[in-house]
Amino acid sequence: MSNTHMVSPRKLLWTSLSSLLLAQNAMAVGFMINPTSHLTGIANAGSAVYDHSTAAISNNPAAMSLMSEKQIGGNFSLLVPDWSINEQWDCAAEGNCAKGNVSPIAAIPTIGLIRPMDNDFTWGVGLGAIAGAGMDYGTQFKTRPIITENKLQVLELMNSISWRMDEKWTFGVGVGVLHGSFEQKQDLPTLSDTSVDDITSAVDFVGRAQECEGLPPAAIAACRGAALIASGLNPASAAETLGNLNSYMGGASGTTVDLEGDDIGAEITLGTTFEYIPGHRLGLAYHYLTDFTFEGSATINGQLLSSETYQKQHTTLTWDMPERLVLSGSHRVNNELNLYWDFERVFFDSFRSTDLRIDGYHTFKIDRNFKDANRYAVGGEYGLNEKTTVQLGFSYDESPVDDSDRMADIPVDDIFKTAFGAIYQVNDQLNVHGYVSLEFLGDAQVEQLASINGTKIGNSVKMDSDTTLYVFGVSFGYKF
């Protein structure tokens, strides 16, 4: 039975892990991240046709054939979130407010090399962090049965090749290896009840008990007793369970669950570009990522539906990754001005739930109910002189999840971005680039603690966010 307990918490945490993939680097739809590069200065418009950055290795390998010289490029970005929570309950009175800023600063490096092999083929290899950072609500926040904090890092090594068929058409393919690592923490009340082997009962118990807050003391006691029965916990241990709950609801730590794990995945990218008239080009890229099965350990300190006060369990979590389709355009208006646009479809509809499996125990399912979502971007570059080019871009990313399905561990919503950049050509070989991007997230309304096996839990958890992400970065390109 102790395994089952581990399972549930882990699953919840794994679910939160996804939140990392989703929200922490909110630079694209949901948890899909656009690599930072020269393109960031135009809000990633023209990502499948842009021919001035080694980001083509990942964005659209076919665009590498548009670059005739061997070159190396790199980027370093700093993501500075200003992310505050508006609790729609009296968190000061309950003692469960979130931290002032719930998302930490994240650093995102990338580097790539493109090398023409002959007149027809071009090869490229790139390495970068494509996701990172996390949420940190604090140890007292009302969502702590699901999440107190989490962190994710994902590195990608992409190997790509492209072929120029003629003056109009190029084609490319890229194969990438992904390594993801995570840490996740949550805090549940201490429960020694061994008659129940489903962590859902523990989460449900807390969710129901939270709805008792604000009642007179006598009514609170009766309400929490009813919550214990309704969640399926054993009435025989009610006195101990309610005693632990009272301490927990008063702010004391209960049973903490720390998760860590990693997995290897892969990405395949297919792309093409077509220059239908000189100076006007279309690009199309399709990205397929394998689904993850994260594997690691859950460390439980305290009793969680078990007589044991310490456990370390093995667990796995399947995670469906969406396919992406990107259509881009670039248009040379004159010698000084180039315009770019992007339309991206992210096929999140398959991301309906996250399934956690533990040997000998039933599958634990957290509902996600994501939906397909789009990204739209426009941008331009204007050459002030032979050395300096300025950039401006705007983009809008649709939310992949409705308010009724969103959870605090994955607080993604729509995103409006505006970006400014400048490229300085130091000499014939070297250029340097700097940019600032402001990303305004939607209110990320949350209306539940969790949704498990089709049942919404914890309706008293209602909150929204005020979020602005500041992205500062520098890039370089060097031609050999």
Side-chain angles (χ1 to χ4, degrees):
M1 180 172 62
S2 61
N3 288 354
T4 304
H5 314 316
M6 315 303 296
V7 176
S8 300
R10 177 154 222 173
K11 161 161 196 155
L12 295 175
L13 297 181
W14 280 115
T15 307
S16 304
L17 161 63
S18 64
S19 71
L20 290 180
L21 278 170
L22 300 170
Q24 300 327 326
N25 285 27
M27 295 181 207
V29 178
F31 52 76
M32 305 310 298
I33 307 303
N34 291 315
T36 51
S37 66
H38 286 62
L39 276 159
T40 310
I42 52 175
N44 289 295
S47 63
V49 291
Y50 196 76
D51 58 359
H52 304 303
S53 170
T54 56
I57 298 167
S58 298
N59 289 334
N60 184 3
M64 296 191 305
S65 286
L66 306 175
M67 292 174 266
S68 58
E69 298 178 79
K70 179 181 178 182
Q71 56 190 284
I72 187 173
N75 173 274
F76 181 82
S77 296
L78 198 63
L79 177 66
V80 183
D82 181 7
W83 195 319
S84 61
I85 300 298
N86 302 315
E87 298 91 345
Q88 296 170 20
W89 66 87
D90 192 351
C91 70
E94 296 181 17
N96 53 16
C97 297
K99 297 174 63 174
N101 191 348
V102 298
S103 185
I105 294 174
I108 310 168
T110 62
I111 192 167
L113 170 68
I114 291 178
R115 179 175 183 174
M117 296 188 296
D118 57 30
N119 292 333
D120 297 323
F121 289 93
T122 301
W123 169 78
V125 62
L127 175 66
I130 63 171
M135 304 300 292
D136 184 359
Y137 290 106
T139 58
Q140 301 299 313
F141 192 50
K142 196 168 187 173
T143 64
R144 60 178 172 151
I146 297 296
I147 174 177
T148 59
E149 64 178 286
N150 53 21
K151 181 171 67 175
L152 174 75
Q153 293 179 326
V154 179
L155 294 176
E156 178 186 57
L157 177 64
M158 177 67 81
N159 194 41
S160 299
I161 191 168
S162 64
W163 172 58
R164 176 179 281 279
M165 187 177 75
D166 54 33
E167 292 301 312
K168 292 181 177 290
W169 288 95
T170 68
F171 299 89
V173 60
V175 177
V177 177
L178 308 177
H179 176 262
S181 62
F182 76 96
E183 298 176 9
Q184 176 74 31
K185 296 181 179 180
Q186 66 189 85
D187 185 3
L188 295 108
T190 297
L191 299 172
S192 60
D193 182 356
T194 59
S195 66
V196 178
D197 61 359
D198 189 349
I199 194 65
T200 304
S201 297
V203 177
D204 187 30
F205 176 45
V206 177
R208 292 176 183 273
Q210 287 175 341
E211 297 176 7
C212 303
E213 297 303 304
L215 298 175
I220 288 180
C223 180
R224 290 178 177 176
L228 183 146
I229 301 301
S231 60
L233 296 178
N234 187 2
S237 59
E240 179 184 1
T241 298
L242 291 174
N244 291 335
L245 176 69
N246 291 337
S247 176
Y248 176 84
M249 298 297 285
S253 177
T255 294
T256 61
V257 182
D258 296 347
L259 295 182
E260 59 181 7
D262 60 6
D263 189 29
I264 299 295
E267 177 179 358
I268 298 175
T269 300
L270 303 174
T272 185
T273 70
F274 175 61
E275 189 167 9
Y276 53 98
I277 59 175
H280 298 266
R281 183 181 296 126
L282 297 176
L284 183 68
Y286 166 75
H287 301 265
Y288 173 80
L289 283 77
T290 60
D291 296 335
F292 282 110
T293 299
F294 293 107
E295 183 174 3
S297 63
T299 301
I300 299 179
N301 284 290
Q303 293 176 304
L304 186 60
L305 302 178
S306 171
S307 59
E308 300 179 39
T309 58
Y310 176 85
Q311 302 177 63
K312 191 166 187 177
Q313 301 288 344
H314 170 267
T315 188
T316 62
L317 176 80
T318 59
W319 189 262
D320 293 338
M321 299 296 290
E323 300 169 44
R324 300 165 54 208
L325 186 65
V326 184
L327 178 65
S328 303
S330 66
H331 308 279
R332 188 173 67 239
V333 179
N334 52 46
N335 290 335
E336 291 78 30
L337 178 63
N338 287 282
L339 300 179
Y340 303 90
W341 56 267
D342 249 27
F343 169 77
E344 178 178 356
R345 183 72 166 176
V346 184
F347 298 96
F348 268 119
D349 188 64
S350 62
F351 190 66
R352 309 302 296 176
S353 66
T354 302
D355 300 335
L356 181 68
R357 297 181 177 90
I358 302 293
D359 292 346
Y361 296 90
H362 64 281
T363 298
F364 189 80
K365 178 179 291 186
I366 289 187
D367 309 308
R368 288 304 174 185
N369 298 324
F370 273 43
K371 59 185 180 180
D372 296 348
N374 298 328
R375 179 179 67 90
Y376 312 90
V378 294
E381 294 182 333
Y382 184 80
L384 296 177
N385 51 52
E386 292 183 355
K387 287 186 173 292
T388 305
T389 299
V390 294
Q391 299 175 306
L392 176 65
F394 305 91
S395 70
Y396 174 72
D397 306 341
E398 296 177 346
S399 174
V401 63
D402 294 329
D403 289 354
S404 59
D405 292 313
R406 187 179 294 109
M407 288 172 52
D409 63 341
I410 310 181
V412 294
D413 205 344
D414 52 6
I415 311 169
F416 174 76
K417 288 172 273 191
T418 180
F420 313 86
I423 303 171
Y424 182 73
Q425 193 69 41
V426 179
N427 52 45
D428 289 343
Q429 293 176 300
L430 175 66
N431 71 76
V432 293
H433 172 235
Y435 57 84
V436 176
S437 176
L438 304 179
E439 308 187 359
F440 305 95
L441 278 67
D443 62 8
Q445 178 71 36
V446 173
E447 302 174 352
Q448 60 182 338
L449 176 62
S451 179
I452 302 174
N453 296 326
T455 301
K456 294 185 181 299
I457 296 173
N459 294 329
S460 67
V461 176
K462 296 184 184 297
M463 65 184 196
D464 58 47
S465 305
D466 292 322
T467 308
T468 303
L469 305 180
Y470 303 90
V471 183
F472 306 93
V474 292
S475 306
F476 77 92
Y478 184 83
K479 298 179 181 179
F480 295 89

